[in-house]
Amino acid sequence: MPTVILVRHGRSSANTSGVLAGRTPGVKLDEAGVQQAAAVAERLAGLPLAAIITSPLDRCKQTAAAIAKHHPALRPATDRRLTECGYGDWTGQKIATLAKDPLWAVVQQHPSGVTFPSGESMRGMQQRAVDAIRAHDAALAVSHGENAVWVAVSHGDVIKAIVSDALGQHLDSFQRIVVDTASTTIITYTRTRPFLVRLNDSGSELTSLVPKPPEKAKGRARKSAVQSSDAVVGGR
């Protein structure tokens, strides 16, 4: 199946002010975030991307637009299922203040049991985000082939929840995962299991993700094999 590159948006003004932005409108990348978006766009420039899908929030759309500059044939498409978790009454509050709320400990230790006041449950956030990634992945397999590579731009908690699902872990362990701003996290979904290819990667080259042309045998192009769901014993 295709390979998805999950990109967290670049640093925003809320990240540096210690505020939980959530779905607050108008939160944009700060100067460092703009530079981060440009840097991750450069890393992705050499890949034949099949699609760029983004959360509808401004900080993600800015990051997606930077990536699209290197892929003029692509226009980023928004998917609300990739938007930030609905933090409800927590939205716009200082992290330092929220850390004193009794719910904070539950968010840290038992996120599957959390529904934010007047907001969304973390289980609901994970379900709709995973559903979005798997749906786009399946559609791109049909339209662009099983070697397609595509980008989804989203948020830290959303990406962590998608990774937790890919690893077959309970949502309660997702706080062990770190996803930095403008980092890339790469997952390949095969027919029977996902593979986490890279996590929270902010510096390595990505050209190895470019699908290799089919090998030729006796003058004929050999059909590319279906992506294996088997792990390599002893490493690769």
Side-chain angles (χ1 to χ4, degrees):
M1 299 294 285
T3 294
V4 58
I5 303 175
L6 301 164
V7 177
R8 185 182 174 191
H9 61 79
R11 196 178 79 176
S12 73
S13 54
N15 294 139
T16 53
S17 63
V19 170
L20 184 64
R23 299 177 184 174
T24 303
V27 175
K28 298 184 182 297
L29 302 182
D30 63 13
E31 184 176 349
V34 170
Q35 294 175 355
Q36 289 179 337
V40 73
E42 286 285 349
R43 295 178 62 216
L44 296 167
L47 301 181
L49 299 182
I52 303 171
I53 312 296
T54 180
S55 156
L57 295 178
D58 287 342
R59 52 197 186 272
C60 287
K61 290 170 70 174
Q62 284 181 277
T63 304
I67 296 169
K69 288 181 180 179
H70 295 277
H71 300 84
L74 294 180
R75 182 177 180 180
T78 59
D79 188 332
R80 292 186 178 277
R81 294 175 295 178
L82 296 180
T83 197
E84 181 63 283
C85 186
Y87 295 118
D89 294 343
W90 278 31
T91 302
Q93 294 195 46
K94 288 281 189 179
I95 297 294
T97 300
L98 295 174
K100 300 174 184 177
D101 190 311
L103 184 62
W104 180 268
V106 187
V107 171
Q108 297 299 316
Q109 300 173 36
H110 183 41
S112 67
V114 170
T115 298
F116 291 97
S118 302
E120 182 179 29
S121 72
M122 299 198 84
R123 287 182 295 107
M125 175 268 288
Q126 182 186 47
Q127 187 64 61
R128 47 97 167 160
V130 170
D131 285 350
I133 294 298
R134 290 180 177 269
H136 287 294
D137 208 69
L140 288 166
V142 174
S143 61
H144 289 77
E146 294 198 347
N147 287 326
V149 178
W150 63 287
V151 165
V153 184
S154 192
H155 307 268
D157 277 355
V158 177
I159 294 174
K160 286 163 58 177
I162 294 168
V163 170
S164 183
D165 170 80
L167 291 174
Q169 296 179 347
H170 198 281
L171 182 61
D172 285 349
S173 68
F174 102 128
Q175 298 291 25
R176 303 180 186 187
I177 299 167
V178 176
V179 175
D180 294 323
T181 52
S183 65
T184 57
T185 293
I186 302 168
I187 299 172
T188 297
Y189 290 91
T190 70
R191 298 197 186 282
T192 60
R193 77 176 85 189
F195 287 101
L196 178 62
V197 180
R198 300 188 192 181
L199 174 65
N200 195 33
D201 182 358
S202 298
S204 70
E205 59 80 29
L206 299 175
T207 54
S208 60
L209 295 173
V210 176
K212 295 178 175 59
E215 298 178 12
K216 291 185 178 181
K218 296 182 180 180
R220 296 181 180 178
R222 191 174 71 183
K223 293 182 179 179
S224 59
V226 172
Q227 178 81 4
S228 174
S229 296
D230 291 342
V232 178
V233 177
R236 73 175 66 223

